[in-house]
Amino acid sequence: MNTRTLADWLSYQEQVNPRAIELGLERVRAVWQRMGAPRPARHVVTVGGTNGKGSTVALLEAMLRQAGRRVGCFTSPHLLAYNERVRIDGADVDDASLVAAFERIEAARSQGPGESIPLTYFEFSTLAALDLFVRAELDVAVLEVGLGGRLDAVNIVDADAVAITTVDLDHMDWLGPDRDSIGREKAGIARAGHPAVVGEVDPPAGLLDALHALGATVIRAGVDFHVERLPSGWRWMHRDGTTMALPDPALAAPVQYANAAAAIAILHALGHGLLGAAPEQAVALALRGVSVAARLQSLGGDPVLYVDVGHNPQAARALAQWLDAVPHGPVHAVFGALSDKDVAGVIGALGARIDRWHLAGLERDTPRGLPAHALADALVAGRPDARFDLHPGVAEALDAARTAARPGETILAFGSFFVASAVLAAHRA
């Protein structure tokens, strides 16, 4: 009998369900129930939101591991290797473990009378993570929502606490036309009587209304916990009187204070001594050491190269805030986007902060990728005076930026996970 490799399994999964995205819990829940539906860890935290999910997951992982907890994290999508999606005790799982999990999932989805249950690629990955977490005997499993919340595959697990980092306009074809409707979808990961941390100070009413209707214990930034920036470091404060004096996060961008504050609020609400006997020390060590690929990640050099997965207007506003806060020379953007993204909104958020745009077509990477000329049309409409050049792919745009940029200047590559993964691959080569 021939054994499928991990690459074989991933290719196979793309064919099982003709839809790349199919929201709904019935199919994935049925397969998980056939697998026994065990609890994936003693404590489960689910993280949703438009932006900031990956950073918040990484911060939670770092804080818990500094406190000596055994942690599993499920995130998506991956940048360079599929294994990145499932981390156990600080390490990406190996091919053999994933293959074994896929074999168990395949057996479960194919058992019983009638046709096999047609899982999507993401649903396979979700079930693989849960299966491997069960076997790892974790203290905490941290699950990142893939899309939305209420109907996302991770929502088959009842979380002990959830965080909703931000709510903004993205994936509107799936989630609704405004922040209220999107917020209601994201609220669906919460459970009655359990903490739901809202990470932004001005959340939409639809999110708060839905959380209250579900009976969740809502914990709000700016209401129940606060951040105070200090000349050196910052302070996290809870209305119950708990405070922590903390160092600045190692993660770049001012928005990371909000992500870190939300992560602390989740663990504070969960209790159970998860941060150990010295919680402030565990958090401080985590903040100093945490790293997340492609979240304003510096790849060094002169001109310095930064890479970021930001792909919507809210993420672009965070990039603009970072550019306003740090010294830098002229900025060269390597930019690519998918067809369902608000390219005009991204361009508008960055305004005149970009000195030259190196526009990368993504149609070679995915059927959803925009060609460079479509990016140019949006750029000219929004900023008629913008300087730009067109390229068939990310590699060519990055080469052009490196040629054009001078020492002391900055190259910022962003707009899509496809952009980030291509830049990281080129840097690693």
Side-chain angles (χ1 to χ4, degrees):
M1 176 180 174
N2 292 327
T3 302
R4 286 182 176 132
T5 66
L6 177 57
D8 293 336
W9 271 107
L10 299 181
S11 177
Y12 169 73
Q13 290 167 22
E14 291 175 340
Q15 303 165 29
V16 169
N17 190 323
R19 298 181 181 178
I21 300 172
E22 186 174 0
L23 296 179
L25 304 181
E26 294 80 7
R27 291 167 296 98
V28 66
R29 179 181 282 132
V31 176
W32 186 230
Q33 288 173 342
R34 290 180 182 182
M35 298 175 73
R39 192 78 176 154
R42 282 184 279 278
H43 306 282
V44 178
V45 175
T46 300
V47 179
T50 303
N51 294 300
K53 298 188 295 291
S55 296
T56 303
V57 169
L59 287 158
L60 284 165
E61 178 188 31
M63 292 172 190
L64 287 163
R65 295 194 69 232
Q66 284 291 347
R69 307 305 173 196
R70 187 167 169 82
V71 186
C73 295
F74 172 56
T75 59
S76 66
H78 61 276
L79 287 163
L80 296 176
Y82 184 92
N83 312 63
E84 299 166 18
R85 294 179 178 229
V86 185
R87 288 172 57 81
I88 295 175
D89 206 21
D92 298 345
V93 297
D94 56 39
D95 287 12
S97 297
L98 286 165
V99 166
F102 291 147
E103 289 172 348
R104 291 187 286 269
I105 295 164
E106 183 70 4
R109 81 173 191 91
S110 302
Q111 74 182 36
E115 296 182 355
S116 298
I117 298 173
L119 298 173
T120 65
Y121 185 94
F122 179 77
E123 289 165 347
F124 265 102
S125 67
T126 304
L127 290 173
L130 298 179
D131 176 75
L132 293 170
F133 290 167
V134 170
R135 297 166 190 276
E137 299 182 347
L138 302 173
D139 295 307
V140 184
V142 184
L143 311 178
E144 179 189 353
V145 172
L147 175 61
R150 181 177 63 92
L151 299 177
D152 187 83
V154 302
N155 205 30
I156 62 172
V157 179
D158 292 329
D160 297 295
V162 306
I164 298 165
T165 54
T166 61
V167 178
D168 208 69
L169 303 180
D170 202 3
H171 301 295
M172 290 180 286
D173 289 346
W174 295 96
L175 305 179
D178 51 46
R179 291 182 75 221
D180 282 322
S181 54
I182 293 171
R184 282 189 284 271
E185 287 296 316
K186 294 186 183 300
I189 61 175
R191 296 295 187 269
H194 290 276
V197 171
V198 177
E200 61 183 334
V201 173
D202 185 25
L207 170 66
L208 298 176
D209 290 346
L211 289 173
H212 288 302
L214 286 166
T217 302
V218 179
I219 301 167
R220 291 182 57 183
V223 176
D224 301 292
F225 63 96
H226 301 265
V227 170
E228 180 186 9
R229 297 286 294 274
L230 304 172
S232 176
W234 61 296
R235 182 179 289 115
W236 184 88
M237 301 170 289
H238 194 278
R239 68 174 181 175
D240 68 3
T242 303
T243 64
M244 294 185 184
L246 299 166
D248 295 323
L251 298 176
V255 72
Q256 295 297 352
Y257 292 92
N259 293 332
I264 298 167
I266 294 170
L267 298 178
H268 181 74
L270 268 176
H272 303 289
L274 287 174
L275 284 174
E280 188 169 326
Q281 180 182 1
V283 171
L285 290 171
L287 290 174
R288 289 191 181 102
V290 69
S291 63
V292 194
R295 272 66 172 187
L296 265 177
Q297 179 182 359
S298 173
L299 300 181
D302 188 12
V304 64
L305 170 61
Y306 291 91
V307 59
D308 191 83
V309 295
H311 54 263
N312 53 47
Q314 185 183 55
R317 290 194 295 272
L319 288 176
Q321 187 181 20
W322 172 73
L323 286 170
D324 291 342
V326 299
H328 58 81
V331 180
H332 295 253
V334 175
F335 178 59
L338 302 183
S339 59
D340 61 342
K341 301 305 174 186
D342 181 2
V343 174
V346 168
I347 292 167
L350 285 163
R353 296 173 181 86
I354 305 301
D355 295 277
R356 187 172 187 90
W357 296 78
H358 306 273
L359 304 176
L362 295 184
E363 68 270 33
R364 296 187 310 202
D365 301 294
T366 170
R368 296 165 58 210
L370 282 174
H373 67 80
L375 301 175
D377 291 344
L379 180 60
V380 170
R383 297 205 59 81
D385 298 333
R387 299 167 61 221
F388 65 91
D389 43 67
L390 309 182
H391 303 279
V394 177
E396 294 89 347
L398 180 60
D399 285 344
R402 282 175 160 158
T403 298
R406 299 288 180 261
E409 298 184 350
T410 297
I411 301 172
L412 174 61
F414 73 101
S416 168
F417 272 83
F418 289 100
V419 173
S421 61
V423 170
L424 290 173
H427 181 74
R428 178 178 291 187

